[in-house]
Amino acid sequence: MAGAVIYALLVGYLLGSIPFGLVLTRLAGKGDIRDIGSGNIGATNVLRTGSKKLAALTLLLDAAKGSAAVLLAAGLWPEAIKYAATGALIGHLYPVWLRFKGGKGVATFLGILLPLLPFAALVYALVWLGLLLVARISSLAGILAAASAPLTAAIVGRTDLLPMLLGFAVLVIWKHRENIARLRSGTEPRVGQKG
């Protein structure tokens, strides 16, 4: 079991730490995404390069790496799936390659949920997309989507996943602490605005 935990954590971390936003923007000749807008490597900031396709691809790949970590663990170390999921999210938030300055985890969290608890993933996606369409504030949508995951797990009786999902939600919200300050002051930009 100890070996499986280590392997699952490591593989999850390595997958999660792939900075797709940074890689894609550089390949597309858009420069270093960390020098644009908020400096974040996620899809919302990639959108500030003016490329909706790059932003969508970043979102899909950031979600896919979360799913890949869970699915790989399910096939190789089924007793250590939670560790692979944890590794993937931590890898995205704190990638060693970028001096531990990664993304905010919203898409990767969704990717983890897809194979782990599909109903929670559906609720998460509906909350995220619904708030994006209505409020057009990416951070608010991401924060409330993350908060929905442990709540959904509790409602459907998956108490085995509750501590992990609660921890994930806290991490995602923590990574949004600057956004929360701007939300409170009314200065948080809406999707499509610069900043």
Side-chain angles (χ1 to χ4, degrees), residues 10-22:
L10 184 60
V11 169
Y13 182 86
L14 291 174
L15 281 169
S17 67
I18 302 170
F20 284 115
L22 178 63

Side-chain angles (χ1 to χ4, degrees), residues 101-156:
K101 294 179 181 177
K104 296 185 178 177
V106 178
T108 303
F109 193 176
L110 174 61
I112 289 166
L113 284 173
L114 280 167
L116 195 65
L117 191 57
F119 182 68
L122 175 63
V123 172
Y124 187 110
L126 289 173
V127 170
W128 189 14
L129 294 173
L131 281 168
L132 269 179
L133 289 171
V134 173
R136 296 191 62 77
I137 301 176
S138 179
S139 59
L140 179 64
I143 289 165
L144 292 178
S148 77
L151 183 61
T152 305
I155 289 169
V156 300

